[in-house]
Amino acid sequence: PVVENGPIIPPPLPELKELPQIAIVGHITKLRRMLDAIEATDVRYEPFVTHVRQLAKEFHIGMTLIGLEALLH
């Protein structure tokens, strides 16, 4: 997928696997902190982080999980 600020490049697999686990329990603060850390590691992850943040902001946790799970498969 592509968003306004570029293609969505997922973070490395360990982080990508942890995000759904955090989202499923509804720990939004921890999710935001992890997204901040991912974004700080490489500017290429900014579109991914922006997309997931927007879903979380709108409380679309189900959509967040579906999107993250799709990237894992």
Side-chain angles (χ1 to χ4, degrees):
V2 177
V3 293
E4 273 185 33
N5 48 351
I8 293 179
I9 299 170
L13 197 54
E15 289 90 347
L16 190 59
K17 283 185 173 182
E18 190 174 348
L19 286 170
Q21 295 170 3
I22 294 168
I24 204 162
V25 296
H27 201 311
I28 300 301
T29 302
K30 187 172 181 178
L31 179 66
R32 288 181 181 146
R33 277 192 229 128
M34 187 164 186
L35 290 171
D36 289 344
I38 290 169
E39 187 174 42
T41 63
D42 193 323
V43 69
R44 294 177 302 151
Y45 301 136
E46 184 181 335
F48 170 84
V49 170
T50 299
H51 182 68
V52 175
R53 276 189 186 132
Q54 186 61 37
L55 291 173
K57 180 181 174 185
E58 295 171 0
F59 298 102
H60 291 298
I61 297 301
M63 292 301 293
T64 303
L65 289 172
I66 290 168
L68 293 172
E69 290 292 329
L71 291 170
L72 287 170
H73 300 288

